[in-house]
């Protein structure tokens, strides 16, 4: 548990390794003793599950609204109100209420005071949700010319818990696609899933990374498979032919695309049968290997369940 006055930002700064990313075993300090038998969620998991599976329920944001109103006259009390809300609140459910509240009152609320509240919550907050509140507010401001703040936000984005919120800010930065790619490469859990969803293939390098690695996360590759398939041009790559290294990536991406347990995958592609046929054409010239055989088996199983007899027969013949 985090029983010190160290801010979350300071904890992340201190925990970075020589590559200036967080080590795989890192997780944010616990804020309170968990109840016996209660599950321990990975950083970013609660927000990710809410977005992908449970929806985002409405939440009482009265304390946050009071904090915003009080920021110009009593910034310390404003911080206390945010901290109090953050003990039980969830920003993922509050953004759609509190941000419009701030925007509607922009004529009455001095921007410098709201900006200061945002920065202090983001960089000095000791509660996860307090940090997220600060990041959500910062999305309302232009931070592109503030390089020290941008560097601090890049550091916060290293934690899967906060990647999603920094991704609301990064599109306003110069070379935003490269900034988002940098974020995506530095995280491997829910943060990568969110970054891949936000990343547009503006360059060949970005498309290549989405194809080779974007889908490879520690949560479940299926969450990003459809995004990576579309943005990297998987079918065209298969039709153009590829070397062994790229073929391994194609097998991994297609395997993830066929896993439609948590989210839609191949069934949402423009022509799933055509994509599978392109994979089989490409596979016919590849040597037998574990990744080839495993993917062909999955293609055959999927085709059998979806009543695609020609695809099933071709896949079985290649095994």
């Amino acid at each position: 548990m985090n029983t010190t006055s160290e801010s979350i930002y300071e904890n992340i700064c201190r925990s970075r390794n020589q590559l200036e990313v967080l080590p795989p075993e890192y997780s944010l300090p616990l804020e309170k003793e968990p109840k016996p038998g209660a599950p321990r969620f990975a950083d970013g998991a609660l927000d990710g599950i809410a977005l992908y599976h449970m929806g985002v329920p409405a939440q009482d944001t009265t304390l946050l609204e009071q904090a915003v109103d009080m920021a110009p006259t009593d910034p310390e009390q404003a911080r206390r109100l945010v901290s109090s809300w953050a003990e039980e609140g969830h920003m993922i459910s509050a953004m759609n209420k509190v941000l419009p509240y701030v925007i509607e009152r922009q004529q009455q609320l001095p921007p410098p005071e709201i900006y200061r509240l945002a920065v202090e919550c983001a960089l000095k907050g000791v509660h996860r949700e307090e940090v997220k509140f600060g990041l959500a507010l910062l999305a309302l401001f232009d931070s592109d010319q503030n390089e020290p703040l941008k560097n601090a936000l890049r550091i916060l984005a290293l934690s899967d818990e906060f990647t999603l919120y920094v991704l609301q800010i990064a599109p306003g930065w110069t070379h935003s696609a490269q900034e988002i790619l940098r974020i995506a490469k530095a995280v491997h859990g829910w943060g990568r899933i969110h970054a891949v969803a936000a990343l547009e293939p503006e360059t060949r390098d970005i498309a290549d990374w989405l194809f080779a690695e974007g889908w490879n996360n520690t949560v479940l590759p299926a969450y990003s498979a459809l995004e990576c398939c579309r943005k990297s041009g998987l079918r065209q790559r298969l039709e153009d032919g590829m070397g062994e290294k790229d073929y391994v990536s194609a097998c991994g991406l297609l395997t993830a695309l066929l896993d439609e347990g948590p989210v839609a995958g191949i069934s949402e592609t423009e022509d799933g049968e055509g994509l599978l046929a392109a994979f089989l054409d490409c596979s016919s010239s590849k040597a037998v290997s574990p990744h080839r055989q495993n993917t062909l088996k999955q293609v055959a199983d999927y085709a059998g369940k979806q009543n695609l007899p020609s695809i099933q027969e071709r896949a079985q013949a290649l095994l």
Side-chain angles (χ1 to χ4, degrees):
M1 290 180 61
N2 184 10
T3 58
T4 71
S5 58
E6 180 182 56
S7 72
I8 286 177
Y9 170 69
E10 290 169 335
N11 182 272
I12 294 173
C13 285
R14 179 174 56 79
S15 302
R16 289 178 297 167
N17 60 24
Q18 292 181 340
L19 299 176
E20 296 192 354
V21 297
L22 292 171
E25 68 274 11
Y26 174 84
S27 61
L28 291 169
L30 292 174
E31 295 181 6
K32 55 186 176 181
E33 194 69 38
K35 297 178 180 179
R40 172 75 188 273
F41 288 93
D43 291 347
L46 284 176
D47 286 350
I49 292 169
L51 284 176
Y52 279 85
H53 300 294
M54 299 171 57
V56 180
Q59 191 169 44
D60 185 5
T61 57
T62 301
L63 288 179
L64 295 181
E65 293 166 7
Q66 292 175 353
V68 168
D69 291 336
M70 195 165 289
T73 58
D74 193 344
E76 291 186 4
Q77 176 61 10
R79 281 287 308 282
R80 285 192 289 268
L81 287 170
V82 175
S83 181
S84 178
W85 174 87
E87 291 181 6
E88 300 294 338
H90 295 284
M91 198 62 209
I92 195 70
S93 303
M95 282 193 295
N96 289 339
K97 288 184 65 177
V98 72
L99 295 186
Y101 182 88
V102 176
I103 294 170
E104 290 169 4
R105 287 156 181 76
Q106 58 184 320
Q107 298 301 323
Q108 295 80 35
L109 298 172
E113 302 303 326
I114 303 303
Y115 184 76
R116 183 173 70 173
L117 175 64
V119 171
E120 290 194 351
C121 287
L123 302 187
K124 297 182 180 179
V126 297
H127 297 290
R128 302 180 187 204
E129 303 303 321
E130 180 182 6
V131 174
K132 293 175 189 178
F133 173 67
L135 293 173
L137 283 183
L138 283 173
L140 301 177
F141 294 90
D142 180 4
S143 57
D144 190 36
Q145 301 305 311
N146 190 337
E147 199 60 32
L149 177 61
K150 288 168 69 175
N151 282 332
L153 297 180
R154 292 178 185 121
I155 290 171
L156 281 172
L158 296 176
S159 167
D160 290 295
E161 189 76 17
F162 306 116
T163 313
L164 173 65
Y165 299 85
V166 178
L167 288 169
Q168 309 305 309
I169 304 169
W173 295 348
T174 302
H175 306 303
S176 60
Q178 291 301 321
E179 291 281 1
I180 296 172
L181 177 62
R182 176 180 175 177
I183 291 171
K185 288 181 175 181
V187 287
H188 299 276
W190 281 102
R192 175 168 289 194
I193 293 170
H194 299 314
V196 165
L199 188 59
E200 293 300 328
E202 295 184 4
T203 66
R204 179 71 183 189
D205 285 347
I206 295 176
D208 287 348
W209 183 83
L210 287 167
F211 165 71
E213 299 183 49
W215 48 272
N216 189 12
N217 61 70
T218 58
V219 180
L220 200 63
Y223 280 106
S224 294
L226 185 58
E227 293 274 1
C228 290
C229 173
R230 289 171 170 169
K231 293 175 180 179
S232 72
L234 174 60
R235 180 171 177 177
Q236 188 62 54
R237 290 173 185 267
L238 290 167
E239 291 176 347
D240 291 344
M242 57 181 62
E244 185 62 28
K245 182 178 179 181
D246 284 345
Y247 181 71
V248 173
S249 297
C251 287
L253 176 50
L254 186 61
T255 296
L257 200 64
L258 290 168
D259 177 11
E260 297 196 288
V263 290
I266 194 168
S267 63
E268 288 297 312
T269 59
E270 184 176 344
D271 180 8
E273 185 173 359
L275 174 61
L276 294 176
F279 174 76
L280 295 174
D281 289 341
C282 185
S283 298
S284 64
S285 63
K286 302 302 177 188
V288 173
S289 62
H291 52 263
R292 176 186 184 273
Q293 301 306 97
N294 179 62
T295 308
L296 286 172
K297 288 177 182 177
Q298 294 193 48
V299 169
D301 289 344
Y302 176 83
K305 294 175 183 177
Q306 299 299 318
N307 193 26
L308 302 172
S310 63
I311 296 294
Q312 184 181 28
E313 291 171 7
R314 289 186 60 194
Q316 289 173 336
L318 288 169
L319 283 169

